[in-house]
Amino acid sequence: RGLGDVYKRQAMADVTFYRWEYNFRASMVVGAVGAGGIGLEIISALRIMDYAQVSALLIVVLVVVTVLDSMSNYLRKSVSE
């Protein structure tokens, strides 16, 4: 396997993982403007002032984003080796 193949594989993995993380975050914004999903749930809970539910949903989002970020970092490292 040549050096060019390693760089191509690393670049493809970087773009794939970046888009994966970006799409998750974008789905929050799209949901917040009414398209459904967890963003819509957060906005709906804010409208009825159910702050306990808002807090719980934000914690879930934080955990999911952290797990996704950790997984993508791990996978990037494994692809680069």
Side-chain angles (χ1 to χ4, degrees):
R1 156 171 100 173
L3 193 55
D5 292 336
V6 173
Y7 287 125
K8 286 179 189 175
R9 194 173 73 192
Q10 179 66 33
M12 190 165 128
D14 285 342
V15 169
T16 301
F17 297 133
Y18 170 76
R19 293 301 302 177
W20 186 32
E21 293 172 23
Y22 174 82
N23 286 335
F24 179 76
R25 290 178 179 99
S27 70
M28 289 283 304
V29 174
V30 170
V33 296
I38 197 161
L40 181 61
E41 292 295 323
I42 291 171
I43 296 300
S44 297
L46 279 170
R47 285 190 182 135
I48 62 171
M49 297 181 200
D50 187 359
Y51 299 118
Q53 184 176 358
V54 172
S55 299
L57 290 168
L58 289 175
I59 289 169
V60 167
V61 168
L62 178 65
V63 168
V64 170
V65 167
T66 303
V67 168
L68 283 174
D69 191 44
S70 297
M71 283 176 42
S72 69
N73 284 335
Y74 172 77
L75 292 172
R76 280 187 187 115
K77 287 178 184 176
S78 69
V79 167
S80 67
E81 293 176 353

